[in-house]
Structures are given as structure tokens and as C-alpha cells.
Amino acid sequence: FDALRDAAIEAGASTAFSASEAAQGIEELAKAGVSAKDILSGGLSGALDLAAAGTLSVGRAAEITAVTLKQFGLAGTDASRVADLLAAGAGKSVGEVHDLAEALKMSGTVAHQYGVSIEETVGTLAMFAENALIGSDAGTSFKQMLLQLAQPTGKSRQLLDEYNISAYDAQGNFVGMANLAGQLADGLGDLSQEQQNAAVKTIFGADAIRSATNGNFALGGSR
């Protein structure tokens, strides 16, 4: 407790945030299960950096960091890395950290369950944001895209086989977003625009089509 109090006081003296704001960040991280050791070794500094990058309160930045850690099954020692990744992802897109957090809230858990890394998830959502698909809409659409690929049925399964598109390798591991985009580009690239639209809608569904075609993703835009 003494060390955490000292960290809050030091943050208040050396950053743009007050000691009480830093204390709120510490509280949010602790509530999410981040250990005192991890808070002191990078968790708090990561939350402070994210707050500064996203014009957020320290408490909100810490909450976003902690939730993301839980979604991707990461340890508290990754708090600083996660905060830096979120700040960088938001900085490369038209959305704010808040928008990226909302997108992650809707898609992060499913992305992790289906083998998409946090780096790939944040990078993909940042690309969507560059093309005006942001916030919970982006997350929901991305989630549906992954679910459709994981359990294709009927005509969707038929088209995936026809165009040699597979989200998983022979060992059942996700191939990665760049690899998937490349397969889509190779499989659908020679089709007419009408044929591409019909194929993508069938494969990914009406809602997920926004993700699959965002930024020309289906034509290799995320390579």
C-alpha cells in the first residue's frame, strides 16, 4: 500500500495527472485483478500513457487496459504493452481510444477464442476505423465475420471450398488476418464487382460484410 501510494504521488508530480487521478487508475487496475507488483512495474505507467494519448481519465484508461488484458488472457505484466498498443492503434485511425475500446468490447473475447492475437485484432480494427467503420459497429461486424468463418455451413462452406479460402490450417490454428486477406484476394480478385459482392455476402453474412469489404479487405487490403 505504501508503494502504491508513493507511485500515485510520484505520478502526480511528474505527469499531467494528479495523484488522486493516478490513484483512481491504480484502483481500476487492482479491481480487475492486476497485482500490485504489475501495477508498479508498468501497469500504472501504461494507463497514464493511454490516458494522455486518448484524452481519457486515468481511471477510464486503466479500465480499458484491464478489460483488454482479461479478454486476451494476458497477465498483468502485459498492462504497459497493451496500453501502448491501444494508444498506437487509435493514433493510426480516425477514431479515438474510446472508439477502439468499444470495438474491442464487442469483438475481443471472440477474437481471442478463435486464435486472433491482440496485435492482429487492434490492427484490423484500426484499419476499419481508417475507413469509417468504428466503435461497437466495427467490433460487432468483426465478431460476426470470425464466427461465420469458424462455422461455415451450406452455400458459405461451398464458396470457401470453391475459392480455396480457409481461416484455419491443417492443425486447426488460425492462419492470421494478413494470410486470410491474401486468400480472399487470390480467390475473389478475378471476379466482377457484382460477383465479389455476392460471394462476400454469402460467405460472411449481411452484417459481417461490412468488415469483410472494409478498406478492400476482401481484395487484400490488410496485407
Side-chain angles (χ1 to χ4, degrees):
F1 284 116
D2 289 341
L4 290 171
R5 183 180 64 248
D6 290 344
I9 293 172
E10 181 180 348
S14 61
T15 72
F17 302 101
S18 68
S20 62
E21 288 176 312
Q24 289 175 354
I26 290 172
E27 181 181 1
E28 289 299 329
L29 289 169
K31 283 165 57 179
V34 180
S35 71
K37 179 181 178 180
D38 292 341
I39 292 172
L40 294 169
S41 63
L44 176 59
S45 62
L48 290 167
D49 290 342
L50 183 60
T55 61
L56 302 167
S57 70
V58 181
R60 174 59 176 149
E63 178 187 359
I64 291 171
T65 301
V67 168
T68 305
L69 287 171
K70 284 185 174 293
Q71 285 184 310
F72 287 89
L74 299 173
T77 50
D78 292 306
S80 182
R81 178 172 69 90
V82 167
D84 290 342
L85 180 63
L86 295 176
K92 292 180 180 179
S93 66
V94 298
E96 303 290 342
V97 172
H98 170 76
D99 297 312
L100 182 55
E102 289 298 304
L104 280 168
K105 183 168 71 173
M106 300 304 298
S107 62
T109 300
V110 169
H112 175 59
Q113 289 174 342
Y114 285 94
V116 188
S117 70
I118 183 174
E119 288 81 8
E120 288 180 306
T121 301
V122 171
T124 300
L125 294 173
M127 184 193 72
F128 291 170
E130 289 177 1
N131 294 274
L133 181 58
I134 63 175
S136 60
D137 281 348
T140 299
S141 187
F142 184 43
K143 176 181 70 176
Q144 289 302 119
M145 175 183 169
L146 293 173
L147 292 173
Q148 287 289 115
L149 285 170
Q151 298 176 322
T153 58
K155 185 64 175 177
S156 175
R157 174 77 272 170
Q158 180 182 331
L159 287 178
L160 288 170
D161 291 340
E162 179 180 345
Y163 296 119
N164 297 313
I165 299 167
S166 178
Y168 298 89
D169 62 21
Q171 289 71 46
N173 299 314
F174 182 67
V175 298
M177 298 306 297
N179 183 300
L180 177 60
Q183 292 184 55
L184 288 166
D186 293 339
L188 307 180
D190 292 334
L191 302 180
S192 68
Q193 187 67 59
E194 181 180 5
Q195 290 173 320
Q196 287 175 5
N197 290 341
V200 170
K201 182 177 180 181
T202 299
I203 292 171
F204 295 105
D207 187 55
I209 191 174
R210 296 181 297 166
S211 291
T213 59
N214 189 274
N216 291 322
F217 180 87
L219 302 180
S222 71
R223 283 185 178 183

